Amino acid sequence: MHIRLRRSQSRWAAVAMLVSAASLMIGTAYSGVAMRRAAPQSTEPRRAEIERDWLEQETARVEGRTALTTAEDAAGACDGWKDGQWGFHTGLDAEPWWQVDLQTPTQLDRVVVYNRCDAASRADQLSILVSVDGRSWNRVYRHAGPTFYGATDGRPLVVPLKGVAARYVRCTIPGPAYLHLDEVEVYAAADPATNIALNKPCDQSSLSQWSRPPHRPALSVLPLEDLLERGRKLVARLRAVGIPTTDCERELQKAALAANGPPEQRHQAYLNARWAMRRLMLADPLLSFDRLLFVKRVNGSFNHMSDQHYGWWSRPGGGLYILSGFRSDTPQIRQIETGLPEGSYIDPDLSYDGKRILFGYCRYYPESAQRADKTDKASIPEDAFYHLYEITVEGTGLRRLTSGKYDDFSGRYLPDGSIIFLSTRRGASVQHVGAVADEASPRPDSFVRCGGDRYRPVSVYTLHRLMPDRKTVIALSPFENFEWTPNVCNDGRILYARWDYVDRNNMPFMKLWSTNPDGTNPQAVYGNHTALFHCAFEARQVPGSRKILFTASAHHAVTGGSLVMLDPARGMDGAEPIQRITPEVCFPEVEGWPRSYYMSPFPLSERVFLTAWGRGNLAENPTRGLGIYVGDTDGNLELLYKDPAISSTYPQPLRARPMPPMPSDRLAEQADEGRFLVSSITTGLPVLNQRITRLRIVAVPAKTQPEMNSPNLGVTADDPGKCVLGTVPVERDGSAYFLAPSGVPLFFQAIGEDGTAVQTMRTVTYVQPRQTVGCVGCHESRATPVANRRPMALNRPPSRITPGPDGSWPYRFDRLVQPVLDRHCVSCHAPGKHASHVNLAPAAAYETLVSYGHPSLREHVQNRYREGRSIAGQGAAATSALLQLLRKGHQGVRLDAQDMERFVTWMDTYAQRLGSFSPQQEEELMLLRRRWAAILAP
């Protein structure tokens, strides 16, 4: 077991932490023994448990107001402790940095850097910068190898500064990257024996899941003032629905009088008021049901938003449970006996009549997590993967619903008896639509672009549907990346999260989308351009309302975080449409790592919800601590049940519920194509100096192998796959109507009269067979009115796609651009030629072109990658110094229209080297070109 300690902790604190960790492991092992039926608790222990929980809540509130800061984490590099681990750890930043403030300008002798030794090569390009004022920086050193260490070999990096004057010393590396060093020492020219950086103020660019909070003292005085404010709001809310509130009001008045009294009086007044508030809160008519369904479970062993749903990382313990008597002092729980071997249960759903439970389960195999090659599915038992199961509330009629060596989970009942669920059975095919068989030999998975290997394959899971016959599985989403936590809306649509990072940063874009149950009409709901938090998970629509409750979760952790209420009527992005209803819990990873967190919220109204809550640091993947609670948007939170040995999650009322309408179904349609209608491409764009004449259509194939950033397709290392299908015309009124392949992720570029892209999508869309998908314009607001006119494009049949130049389908630099260079440029620009300093021969041409000029294509792509959006009129080709050179002509060479189109197509699709992840995928794309002949222009 490896534990990273804060440098400020004593050695005795280290011993205490190890003892605590050992206790944690003992508790986890104990939790694997399922408790079949629990006797009711006696009143006195129950009272003590609830009062301890209130203290935990108040401590968490105080901690939440003093969350870990970048300065606190950065201080670990100047605390005098050198052990070869990390003293601080930034997030994945475009250019991560750490700095120390020496507090006065000083002439410096040297900087000494001790590296993190288990990942030392990440600092191979370390730069040292200095500044007098913290605004203007001067680079005084750039490391170019070899890899250095420090604590393990006694040979840290020593950078002589020869009297350079500075107040601030900064360390940085090129990104996107993490920066983590062991210790940084700074010595003054006047006293070269004394480390003047020791315990000086520090800061860094960001926090990460590996940042560690310092120790803070426990809460000593219970805060009456906050309690009184919450209590008054609770009284007002329940008085309005006819619940007697006299007892609670009386205790709140007594507490107000005791606010200035001695600590003992304040403490007793707090407890009395809190008991009265609890009685009132549990009398809420919204809690009129008698029983709750919930799950006990241990998080998987790999702490990541993606990997938490793979069976090979699962850990045993828990099961399905029913809680009754939760409003009394003697609640009871009953385990639903499934008869399944020891394993992991996840994310249940209750049938509309309240009689059946749908859940995910996988059997636990101790050796699974250590398999060196998890892509070798032949060696993995089928029940080691999560599958969907169904059982009655009474524990009878257990039935396994899915099979195959795929992970299937997050199942949700639909009104027609079918089931929406997530599955890794998406596979690596470019076109993903229609029935998906459970093959005896499973086809290869597709994988995330930015992480993983064969020990940790990060297989993509997307929306699928199991039909009422319980045999047919239909692919609903061809999305090339992850989708998460589906739930059924009040109007029958499916609300879910998906990961949109097409040509943009892979960190903050896991936000909300909706689709019809047949996979038609995928629409962004909220946050596709919002970086306030990383993930909008576990979203559920409030009964009888448009509002949506969800968990703002982290990227590098399992699901959990702060609860947020979204009002879609107030917008699709930014802070305006959201209400942080648990502000004491910071947005994890983005704002720091909170020491308590929420999970699996279940809204009962716009103000009241069930949830799981507990103390623990998500960065450390806590295995226990979550209990079942009822909360409200005023900050009141009351414990219903907690097992100290294991987390309790996914609470929901065990009762019948209203059945939403079932939108019309088009799953029977089978065809290779659908249609898109754009009513006015200029809607949503600023006034342009040229007309949009065409749309370029780009397919995004899924990644076919698990290795991180492999193959490297372009500039950012995690570039998406691309295949330029071609272009379609845009009418003079801005409308376009065209055919497109069904079941293929696509994005569009608006092409101006000069042939360059004016605007580019940063997400993908798709069309189902024979469906027509319509949009108002380019990046339009959801509130954009639809023009009261017939688009000109509808006056003709849908356009076929005119394929682009050779080398754009499949996408290859060596076929798209290199032939032009060979005809016009290599005779001068190659080794041994008179202009060999600019090498355009095949082995060097790509790097030469992406690095040419300012802004270079590399600069443009990386800047837009970091910004996460396209800027109208500022496309890659339109702003390229390379395009300016080509248009002007060079040494008498002027390109014709066809050759210029090759360059522009390559630049505007972000100048990639390749668009496919394997030769086999290239062959598939060539076969599809022949198969899709009906949608292509002759």
Side-chain angles (χ1 to χ4, degrees), residues 887-901:
R887 283 177 168 170
K888 183 172 61 176
H890 176 64
Q891 296 296 318
V893 175
R894 297 191 67 87
L895 301 183
D896 61 22
Q898 289 75 26
D899 285 347
M900 188 66 77
E901 183 184 9

Side-chain angles (χ1 to χ4, degrees), residues 189-429:
D191 183 7
T194 301
N195 173 19
I196 61 172
L198 185 64
N199 297 324
K200 289 296 195 319
C202 301
D203 206 354
Q204 65 194 51
S205 54
S206 65
L207 296 168
S208 77
Q209 72 180 102
W210 302 280
S211 302
R212 294 294 185 263
H215 174 72
R216 290 192 172 95
L219 181 70
S220 59
V221 179
L222 291 170
L224 271 178
E225 292 77 9
D226 287 351
L227 181 71
L228 292 171
E229 181 180 359
R230 298 198 306 270
R232 293 183 188 111
K233 292 178 179 178
L234 177 65
V235 165
R237 177 169 65 81
L238 288 176
R239 185 196 297 132
V241 295
I243 302 299
T245 61
T246 304
D247 175 63
C248 188
E249 291 179 79
R250 181 170 53 250
E251 294 300 334
L252 290 173
Q253 290 171 357
K254 292 179 181 179
L257 294 173
N260 296 319
E264 297 82 2
Q265 184 181 359
R266 286 173 55 91
H267 181 81
Q268 191 58 51
Y270 174 95
L271 293 179
N272 292 341
R274 194 71 194 258
W275 278 113
M277 290 170 60
R278 177 181 174 86
R279 289 191 292 271
L280 182 58
M281 195 164 184
L282 295 181
D284 193 329
L286 292 169
L287 298 174
S288 59
F289 46 89
D290 297 321
R291 297 181 297 169
L292 280 173
L293 170 69
F294 71 99
V295 169
K296 293 186 182 184
R297 71 184 309 267
V298 180
N299 292 334
S301 59
F302 202 101
N303 195 26
H304 196 280
M305 60 173 187
S306 304
D307 304 71
Q308 64 184 319
H309 300 301
Y310 303 139
W312 45 62
W313 299 124
S314 68
R315 292 189 282 197
L320 303 173
Y321 287 81
I322 294 174
L323 171 65
S324 58
F326 57 85
R327 288 187 298 275
S328 72
D329 291 332
T330 56
Q332 297 179 331
I333 65 164
R334 173 175 66 86
Q335 184 176 8
I336 298 175
E337 299 284 358
T338 65
L340 293 168
E342 186 177 44
S344 175
Y345 295 74
I346 192 170
D347 205 3
D349 191 46
L350 193 65
S351 61
Y352 291 102
D353 61 7
K355 296 180 179 179
R356 290 165 294 136
I357 301 169
L358 177 66
F359 63 97
Y361 160 85
C362 70
R363 184 173 180 177
Y364 173 65
Y365 288 89
E367 70 278 8
S368 289
Q370 299 308 316
R371 290 182 182 274
D373 184 1
K374 297 181 179 67
T375 64
D376 179 17
K377 290 189 176 183
S379 65
I380 302 176
E382 186 181 7
D383 59 355
F385 295 84
Y386 279 103
H387 288 293
L388 294 182
Y389 288 76
E390 187 179 50
I391 196 169
T392 68
V393 170
E394 288 73 28
T396 61
L398 178 71
R399 183 182 181 187
R400 177 167 154 179
L401 303 181
T402 62
S403 59
K405 294 190 176 183
Y406 312 102
D407 283 298
D408 302 321
F409 55 96
S410 292
R412 297 293 180 261
Y413 287 107
L414 292 177
D416 70 343
S418 60
I419 293 169
I420 292 284
F421 69 104
L422 293 171
S423 177
T424 57
R425 65 187 68 221
R426 185 223 181 279
S429 58

